[in-house]
Amino acid sequence: MEENNKIVSISKEELATLPAASYQGNIVLVDTASDAEKAVEMLYRESIIGFDTETKPSFKRGQSNKVALLQLSSHTTCFLFRLNHIGLTEPVKKLLEDNRIIKIGLSIHDDFHNLSKISKINPDGFIDLQQYVKEYKIADNSLSRIYGILFDMRISKGQRLTNWEAEELTEHQQTYAALDALACIHIYEHLESGKFDPKTSRHFKDAPEPDAH
């Protein structure tokens, strides 16, 4: 098959065999407006920030919850903004709307839609990895699969459906949330560096035949 018809993709089974990635940086819980202001001041010193959100899952049809946690990460520290406690404060909104600071996320329009339920927001300066990785023939959309392709490590999704509005976030919840945001920076910078060549990836394979139906 021609190279044009090849993609980079990792199967669920391949992903499951990879060793689990772990978060090694600092974590700062932000649950007051003054803490949020200090965190934003520190984040303004960065040129690039990893971005993600978490929402308490709803298991009832038609019921949804507001975003409980906003993760903004530098290379060394992830700030966990507990939006269910403090809402979207003005300094945080200003940062999310500032196009001078590059913010990297994945499937960010869903995040924006959900954040707008808390407060009207016009995000700017964002790069969506789901679109960005297509330039490198990566066909997968999930953070864990993209990370697995690039780094041969697996991001566990075990905490995704936990209660993000809990009074105290567990250590596992905190490290899970922080790793998701930091992973966005790592993915973007690895691809930008030119170190990844789709043709030499062991996950370079024939694209599946289009469904006839």
Side-chain angles (χ1 to χ4, degrees):
M1 194 177 270
E2 289 181 18
E3 213 167 80
N4 286 344
N5 295 323
K6 287 186 174 271
I7 58 168
V8 181
S9 178
I10 187 170
S11 70
K12 188 177 173 184
E13 293 73 24
E14 288 174 298
L15 190 63
T17 66
L18 299 179
S22 62
Y23 182 76
Q24 303 296 332
N26 303 313
I27 295 175
V28 177
L29 277 169
V30 181
D31 51 14
T32 68
S34 62
D35 285 347
E37 192 169 355
K38 288 176 200 161
V40 168
E41 277 178 25
M42 294 178 75
L43 285 164
Y44 257 103
R45 298 173 197 159
E46 306 297 321
S47 57
I48 185 168
I49 292 170
F51 163 89
D52 196 22
T53 67
E54 303 296 342
T55 302
K56 178 184 176 181
S58 173
F59 300 106
K60 288 184 182 174
R61 195 170 177 180
Q63 185 186 60
S64 62
N65 295 308
K66 289 183 178 174
V67 176
L69 194 72
L70 166 67
Q71 302 103 277
L72 295 175
S73 181
S74 70
H75 289 86
T76 59
T77 303
C78 186
F79 296 90
L80 305 182
F81 294 82
R82 302 210 67 189
L83 301 189
N84 57 311
H85 289 179
I86 61 173
L88 257 181
T89 65
E90 280 306 312
V92 174
K93 280 175 66 175
K94 183 184 167 192
L95 178 64
L96 295 178
E97 294 176 343
D98 194 332
N99 63 10
R100 293 170 301 171
I101 308 283
I102 298 172
K103 294 161 285 274
I104 314 293
L106 185 130
S107 190
I108 55 178
H109 292 290
D110 293 341
D111 293 306
F112 297 163
H113 174 72
N114 293 327
L115 286 170
S116 70
K117 293 176 185 175
I118 300 173
S119 179
K120 189 173 182 296
I121 185 169
N122 297 300
D124 204 353
F126 278 84
I127 292 171
D128 191 336
L129 289 175
Q130 274 193 345
Q131 301 304 315
Y132 181 76
V133 300
K134 289 177 182 174
E135 297 173 28
Y136 298 86
K137 289 189 165 283
I138 296 174
D140 295 327
N141 284 329
S142 79
L143 187 73
S144 55
R145 290 196 183 202
I146 297 166
Y147 199 84
I149 286 167
L150 296 183
F151 302 114
D152 285 324
M153 299 285 282
R154 173 178 50 84
I155 294 178
S156 168
K157 292 281 131 188
Q159 298 296 312
R160 187 169 65 90
L161 297 178
T162 56
N163 180 11
W164 294 101
E165 294 179 13
E167 196 56 41
E168 302 275 339
L169 293 180
T170 67
E171 184 182 342
H172 288 306
Q173 282 180 305
Q174 292 180 42
T175 54
Y176 165 88
L179 180 57
D180 270 9
L182 179 61
C184 291
I185 296 179
H186 287 168
I187 289 168
Y188 175 74
E189 291 189 333
H190 187 73
L191 292 174
E192 279 286 291
S193 73
K195 292 174 187 170
F196 177 74
D197 181 353
K199 296 181 201 138
T200 60
S201 169
R202 65 190 179 97
H203 303 292
F204 195 50
K205 57 187 72 170
D206 293 338
E209 293 293 330
D211 197 331
H213 299 293

